[in-house]
Amino acid sequence: MSRLTESSSWRALAKHYHEVKDVHMRELFDNDPNRFSHYSLELNDILYDYSKNRITETTIGHLLQLAYDVDLPAWIEKLFKGEPINNTEHRAVLHTALREQGNKPIIVNGENILPEIKAERERVKQLAEKIRTRQWRGVTNQAITDVVNIGIGGSHLGPMMVTEALWSHSLHDLNIHFVSNIDENHINDTLENLSPETTLFIIASKTFTTQDTMVNAETARQWYINKLGNDESIERHFTAVTSNVKLAKEFGVAAENIFKMWDWVGGRYSLWSAIGLAIVIAIGSEQFDELLEGAYEADQHFRHTPLEKNIPVIMALLGIWYNNFFGAQSMAILPYDQHLHRFPAYLQQADMESNGKYINRQGQEVDYTTGPVIFGEIGIAGQHAFFQLLHQGTKLVPADILAPVYNFRCIARHHRALMSNVFAQTEALMRGKTRQEAYAELKSEGLDEKQIKQLLPYKVFPGNRPTSSLLFDTLDPKTLGSIIALYEHKIFVQGVIWNINSFDQWGVELGKQLATSILGELNDAEPVCLHDSSTNGLINHYKRRRARENL
Ligand code: G6Q
């Protein structure tokens, strides 16, 4: 037994689970007419309603006790103060410093990192403004019309998700493209209609060694040289964001166009740094500042609000409740804002790469389950696809619903119809439909008793399916910044409770190593035999088929 599962709060939760597992949320709402106000919180224009969860005051009491038992308040301070809480890599974790609005020094290895952060941000802004105002000129003195961000994982998903989310706030005569896949189709499809004279590349890679990114970057460079016949002007079309300045220079990027990353910011937490260059180019520096400000306000909320009123803490505790006591394996992220269509993919990385771990901070195997499988889709699209399982499947899938009160253009006919779905779904998931209700419905439709008997079981919905709703006024940069930061902190809190390091990613490193070693085996047509029979079989099939095509 671990310290966590032996703790009195954990045991109290296990006991409490047996007492409440069959209680229906209908009953909880009937018993407490003020349930919504008891279980909802606000941060600026964000309303977080968690009343449609299978919790009582006792549940929340035990969960909060659990947070105190693991010393959560002390961990929050460690995070903000830059203690090396990424223990396997001996690094501080300071994405919060990237959006700091004050001047109080943040010390890493004896040095205040704030001046450097600000200086780098200023460089990013200057470059972005030159492109936005068409002062940046390419080799033939034309303005840039297309920016291609080449990166993967943390150097891709954050900038892409935010750029898409803030499309209404972007310059629409400047196209931002994202290339991540090493499959040539991705870069080739992207470059097909672009002109090298008006294209600017951002090679976004913290290490500047990631195979996918470097292969794509090389293809981009070749495309540029092939089209223009020389590489003399490459500097005017390639920028880089990296902590490996040397390799970026060797690639051909001019020193003044290389932007820095630091080892105290992890890839999946880095959109606030120069990795966000594509975002700044899209939305401009003032709105990027608003994004940072929104995140900063969420940071302040997280750092200074008592745990029971602290949105990311409550989000995290609910996750623990379902994951560790109800045995829920997954969690759905369901934005009802079209511009958030990449948010589930972004969160998938943020959450699963952070908390998909089975070894604790002391190097031992955990005896409880950790991070859930995160999946999701635009809510409306999901309704016509996998919501069937949410309503009537045999698995418990807690869901977060995100929706705006109004849109940028706000056509009432669209928006009301959209929101009627949001409200109806959360209500239906919570209430379900009883046998009596289903019977009455079928009767009113004119079915006879025989037909009703046949159909009735299929028309019953158990309900009691938890959802939490995040309603925000509109998806502007500040609100988006806050929402992202709330989720980042939720992930951190869960990592603290599970006693795992949320900030390393050995599973990702493994993929990088394995691909590199097999790459060498694909250079010739010789059959391989050093792997298991399946891997040998797959590699040899691939080689044979390619040889047949003379490839
Ligand atoms: C993120 C991970 C991982 C990383 C990519 C790209 O937290 O570390 O997703 O961002 O593997 O790495 P580079 O930025 O070094 O190319």
Side-chain angles (χ1 to χ4, degrees):
M1 294 271 277
S2 60
R3 261 181 62 191
L4 181 63
T5 50
E6 268 183 0
S7 68
S8 57
S9 50
W10 189 275
R11 284 202 245 166
L13 279 161
K15 182 164 173 281
H16 174 66
Y17 163 72
H18 288 285
E19 290 156 8
V20 297
K21 70 179 174 21
D22 297 322
V23 175
H24 202 286
M25 279 191 274
R26 279 188 184 220
E27 200 182 317
L28 299 176
F29 274 94
D30 288 346
N31 292 344
D32 177 6
N34 295 322
R35 189 168 167 86
F36 168 75
S37 47
H38 286 155
Y39 298 109
S40 55
L41 296 166
E42 286 182 38
L43 170 64
N44 299 330
D45 67 324
I46 301 171
L47 165 71
Y48 176 58
D49 168 26
Y50 63 104
S51 59
K52 291 194 185 87
N53 278 286
R54 293 167 72 169
I55 50 167
T56 64
E57 262 179 55
T58 312
T59 323
I60 291 293
H62 290 321
L63 286 168
L64 287 168
Q65 189 52 50
L66 181 67
Y68 285 112
D69 286 353
V70 298
D71 261 342
L72 179 61
W75 277 97
I76 295 176
E77 278 314 293
K78 284 185 203 181
L79 171 80
F80 281 94
K81 288 193 172 141
E83 288 192 28
I85 57 173
N86 175 351
N87 62 319
T88 54
E89 296 177 307
H90 313 289
R91 290 174 182 169
V93 177
L94 276 169
H95 43 282
T96 51
L98 294 166
R99 54 235 190 179
E100 174 63 49
Q101 306 284 305
N103 289 319
K104 201 165 161 218
I106 299 173
I107 308 294
V108 175
N109 299 329
E111 267 186 48
N112 179 11
I113 57 172
L114 278 184
E116 207 183 356
I117 292 173
K118 287 186 183 162
E120 209 56 14
R121 197 185 300 156
E122 211 34 57
R123 293 184 60 223
V124 165
K125 287 177 177 176
Q126 278 172 14
L127 180 122
E129 287 311 314
K130 271 192 209 153
I131 293 165
R132 287 170 62 83
T133 54
R134 300 178 162 255
Q135 290 171 54
W136 179 290
R137 295 283 155 163
V139 57
T140 51
N141 206 29
Q142 294 186 63
I144 298 298
T145 56
D146 293 87
V147 174
V148 182
N149 186 89
I150 298 179
I152 196 162
S155 302
H156 163 70
L157 284 162
M160 181 194 56
M161 181 274 286
V162 172
T163 306
E164 294 280 318
L166 297 178
W167 191 79
S168 308
H169 299 259
S170 307
L171 272 187
H172 288 178
D173 57 354
L174 195 57
N175 306 307
I176 316 280
H177 312 263
F178 290 89
V179 172
S180 57
N181 197 339
I182 198 167
D183 176 359
E184 67 212 43
N185 288 330
H186 203 178
I187 187 137
N188 285 341
D189 293 356
T190 306
L191 297 182
E192 192 171 285
N193 294 319
L194 304 190
S195 156
E197 293 158 74
T198 53
T199 300
L200 181 85
F201 291 95
I202 303 171
I203 314 298
S205 176
K206 184 171 168 183
T207 53
F208 226 77
T209 57
T210 305
Q211 187 196 45
D212 322 66
T213 301
M214 297 331 295
V215 169
N216 277 325
E218 194 47 47
T219 300
R221 179 165 59 181
Q222 280 310 321
W223 171 81
Y224 179 85
I225 294 170
N226 292 347
K227 294 249 174 187
L228 290 177
N230 67 64
D231 68 353
E232 282 158 25
S233 52
I234 204 162
E235 294 188 346
R236 289 160 81 168
H237 293 269
F238 281 79
T239 63
V241 184
T242 185
S243 51
N244 199 333
V245 176
K246 183 171 165 281
L247 287 186
K249 278 188 189 159
E250 281 169 20
F251 180 88
V253 184
E256 65 269 26
N257 298 329
I258 300 174
F259 300 92
K260 227 176 161 180
M261 282 185 79
W262 301 275
D263 67 1
W264 42 257
V265 56
R268 56 194 174 278
Y269 296 92
S270 65
L271 71 89
W272 321 99
S273 71
I275 281 288
L277 174 57
I279 307 173
V280 192
I281 294 174
I283 65 171
S285 56
E286 280 174 24
Q287 295 194 99
F288 188 73
D289 281 344
E290 288 168 21
L291 184 85
L292 298 180
E293 206 183 305
Y296 172 76
E297 290 188 7
D299 293 343
Q300 296 306 297
H301 167 87
F302 178 52
R303 191 173 184 178
H304 300 298
T305 309
L307 300 192
E308 67 275 15
K309 299 225 174 296
N310 197 310
I311 297 176
V313 172
I314 297 293
M315 288 166 96
L317 293 176
L318 290 172
I320 301 275
W321 180 226
Y322 294 122
N323 189 76
N324 295 98
F325 298 94
F326 281 80
Q329 299 278 341
S330 61
M331 147 139 228
I333 303 294
L334 306 168
Y336 276 76
D337 186 312
Q338 182 59 30
H339 288 155
L340 281 176
H341 71 122
R342 298 304 284 157
F343 192 64
Y346 163 79
L347 259 195
Q348 226 162 29
Q349 180 191 22
D351 203 312
M352 292 164 77
E353 201 168 289
S354 297
N355 287 341
K357 320 246 160 100
Y358 78 112
I359 296 293
N360 70 14
R361 288 184 160 271
Q362 288 69 42
Q364 297 143 350
E365 201 166 318
V366 297
D367 60 356
Y368 40 84
T369 59
T370 59
V373 175
I374 301 284
F375 75 103
E377 175 55 278
I378 286 294
I380 286 284
Q383 281 177 220
H384 296 266
F386 58 81
F387 269 43
Q388 165 62 36
L389 186 146
L390 304 194
H391 283 288
Q392 286 190 311
T394 52
K395 296 183 172 60
L396 181 73
V397 184
D400 277 5
I401 308 261
L402 297 97
V405 172
Y406 53 89
N407 267 338
F408 189 62
R409 294 189 196 86
C410 213
I411 304 171
R413 189 164 53 90
H414 278 268
H415 203 72
R416 285 197 202 123
L418 172 81
M419 294 307 287
S420 65
N421 279 279
V422 170
F423 304 134
Q425 286 292 339
T426 65
E427 187 176 37
L429 285 161
M430 183 275 280
R431 291 182 63 79
K433 197 181 279 176
T434 63
R435 225 180 149 73
Q436 291 77 359
E437 287 165 348
Y439 179 88
E441 200 177 281
L442 292 172
K443 190 96 186 149
S444 72
E445 285 167 15
L447 273 70
D448 63 30
E449 287 302 318
K450 192 172 165 227
Q451 290 168 319
I452 293 181
K453 199 172 167 215
Q454 257 176 8
L455 211 48
L456 191 58
Y458 304 102
K459 293 284 200 170
V460 174
F461 290 78
N464 221 10
R465 315 269 160 137
T467 58
S468 305
S469 299
L470 273 166
L471 290 194
F472 44 89
D473 280 356
T474 193
L475 195 62
D476 58 26
K478 188 168 170 203
T479 300
L480 180 66
S482 295
I483 292 173
I484 301 169
L486 291 177
Y487 275 97
E488 284 178 345
H489 295 319
K490 172 218 137 164
I491 292 165
F492 168 68
V493 172
Q494 293 188 331
V496 169
I497 292 176
W498 288 323
N499 186 27
I500 53 178
N501 175 7
S502 302
F503 303 105
D504 58 13
Q505 55 280 315
W506 301 108
V508 177
E509 311 301 336
L510 173 74
K512 293 186 182 184
Q513 272 170 25
L514 294 179
T516 312
S517 72
I518 288 192
L519 184 63
E521 299 175 26
L522 302 184
N523 288 337
D524 55 43
E526 286 304 303
V528 296
C529 57
L530 295 174
H531 305 271
D532 58 84
S533 66
S534 164
T535 311
N536 287 336
L538 290 167
I539 294 176
N540 293 334
H541 173 87
Y542 170 82
K543 288 190 177 207
R544 266 196 316 272
R545 305 292 285 193
R546 283 184 67 94
R548 218 177 64 173
E549 300 292 324
N550 288 325
L551 294 169

